[in-house]
Structures are given as C-alpha cells and as structure tokens.
C-alpha cells in the first residue's frame, strides 16, 4: 500500500509535466495557402504595359490585381476588399507604344464600382487615379507591375503605437527585386501615409526616408518594432494575403 501511495503522486507529476510540455509547443507559423509562389506575368510583357499589376488598398483593407492582356486578349481586374471579391472589367483597348488609361467597372453589394487605372507605355508608374467604391471613401492604392522574374506579394496588417494610436498597415513587395512600398492609415481617418524602401540580407524592411527597419519578413509573416520621429514606439504585424 505504501508503494502505491508513493508511485501515484509521481505518476501525477509526470502527467502534469507532459501536459505542460505539450501546451508550450509553439503554434505553426502562418502560411498563405492560396498565394502564388511564381509570377503570373509572362516574359513577353515585361517591357510593355500589358501584363500583371498587383497592389494593396487602404480604405478599408484589401488587394487588387489588374490583368492587361497578360496571356490572351482580356482586360480585367479582381479586387478583394474586407474579404469581399469584386470582379472588374474595362472596354478600353491597349494601343502599342501608348500609355494606357481606363476605367474598370463592376458592382459591390449591388452598387456600381469604378476604378481608373493608368500606366505608361512600358509598364512604368502604375497608379489608380480615381476610384468610386461604395462604403469605402478615400480609398488609396499601392500598385506594382509584376514581371516574369519578379513575383509581387501583398501583405495586409495593422500597426499600434505608444501614443496611443492604431491603424491599417498594408504593403506590396518583391523579394527578388528586394523592394517594397505601401501605405498606413490611422483608424477613423480618410487620408493615408505612403512609405517605401528596400529589403536587406536579413529580410528586414528598411524605410528609405528614415533608414530604420520597420519590420522583418519570416515566410508569409511580417513583424516589427521601431521608434517613429515623434518618439513613439510603433508595433507592426502583417500577413501575406496575395
């Protein structure tokens, strides 16, 4: 009986240790299961305004992809805003050697959407010049042309500061080009701030204006802390969604 009394507490301690060890196992890192690992863009369009353009949206938060006759004759766009997919089309044809400017239209919750996209003849300076999106006034876009050798990735996230302040923090990047660009917006505001920079050999995103690391890439995750110009500590968290 005495042996049983000794062994039982020992077994309970062992079981508790195993349980604690199991509970302390870190969760698996987030991976974007639907994201591409190779570019959609084809080589024939690398130096023209045909091809693929990808970007992020703030107001509220989302992504967009323009397909200008990348692998055929269709001119379309797909926008995902707050988890809702909006298919857009344009009837404006591409003229070789000329800049392309066209409205893309569709519907969101039964209401009309219009987004005017502009890009140079060689695929440079892709921008959304105007947009009308019901329920999302003041939406701003960061767009980058994808080439056959440079996959463009989109990250959506948030930031918070010790001011305190909080908001949306979205960006697009190319690991092969080692470049990124994006926008942030304080919750409740209708205007956003842009930022851009390069990715160093340690996978840190270095802001071009401040020279500071604003985050570190780890697979499909982005995390970072830095001190802004006003002395507040900024915490950034994001995940790849496109």
């Amino acid at each position: 009986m005495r042996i049983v009394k000794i062994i039982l507490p020992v077994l309970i301690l062992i079981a508790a240790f195993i349980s604690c060890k199991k509970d302390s196992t870190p969760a698996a890192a987030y991976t974007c299961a639907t994201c591409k690992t190779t570019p959609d863009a084809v080589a024939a369009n690398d130096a023209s305004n045909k091809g693929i353009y990808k970007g992020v949206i703030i107001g509220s938060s989302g992504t967009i992809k323009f397909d200008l006759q990348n692998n055929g004759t269709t001119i379309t766009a797909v926008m995902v805003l707050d988890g809702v997919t909006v298919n857009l089309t344009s009837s404006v044809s591409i003229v070789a050697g000329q800049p392309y400017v066209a409205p893309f239209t569709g519907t969101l919750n039964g209401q009309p959407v219009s987004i005017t996209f502009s890009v140079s003849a060689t695929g440079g300076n892709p921008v959304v010049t105007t947009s009308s999106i019901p329920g999302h006034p003041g939406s701003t876009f960061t767009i980058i042309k994808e080439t056959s050798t440079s996959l463009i990735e989109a990250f959506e996230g948030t930031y918070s500061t010790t001011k305190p302040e909080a908001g949306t923090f979205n960006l697009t990047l190319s690991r092969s080009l080692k470049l990124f660009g994006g926008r942030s917006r304080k919750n409740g505001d209708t205007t956003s701030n842009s930022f851009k920079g390069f990715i160093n050999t340690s996978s840190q995103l270095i802001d071009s204006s401040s020279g500071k690391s604003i985050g570190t890439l780890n697979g499909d995750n982005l995390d970072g802390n830095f001190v802004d110009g006003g002395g507040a500590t900024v915490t950034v968290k994001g995940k790849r969604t496109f």
Side-chain angles (χ1 to χ4, degrees), residues 47-50 69 93-101 119-124:
S48 77
N49 54 14
K50 293 182 179 181
Q69 296 182 353
S93 301
I94 295 174
V95 178
Q98 297 294 320
Y100 183 76
V101 181
V119 62
S120 75
T122 58

Side-chain angles (χ1 to χ4, degrees), residues 38-47 70 145-151 176:
T38 57
D40 291 313
V42 298
N45 300 325
D46 283 352
N70 179 61
K145 179 178 173 65
E146 184 173 270
T147 69
S148 60
T149 58
S150 62
L151 173 70
S176 60

Side-chain angles (χ1 to χ4, degrees), residues 70-156:
N70 179 61
N71 196 14
T73 59
T74 59
I75 298 176
T76 61
V78 178
M79 176 174 67
V80 179
L81 198 56
D82 292 343
V84 179
T85 300
V86 181
N87 294 304
L88 306 165
T89 59
S90 179
S91 59
V92 178
S93 301
I94 295 174
V95 178
Q98 297 294 320
Y100 183 76
V101 181
F104 285 72
T105 59
T107 59
L108 173 60
N109 298 324
Q111 295 183 286
V113 173
S114 180
I115 297 172
T116 301
F117 178 67
S118 171
V119 62
S120 75
T122 58
N125 193 34
V127 294
V128 169
T129 58
T130 62
S131 67
S132 176
I133 307 173
H136 303 275
S139 295
T140 53
F141 299 73
T142 302
I143 310 292
I144 300 179
K145 179 178 173 65
E146 184 173 270
T147 69
S148 60
T149 58
S150 62
L151 173 70
I152 301 301
E153 303 174 34
F155 283 73
E156 295 181 74

Side-chain angles (χ1 to χ4, degrees), residues 4 16 23 52-53 74 90 118-119 126 136 140 150 160 169 208 213 215:
V4 172
D23 292 342
I52 298 293
Y53 299 82
T74 59
S90 179
S118 171
V119 62
H136 303 275
T140 53
S150 62
S160 60
F169 186 92
S208 60
S213 169

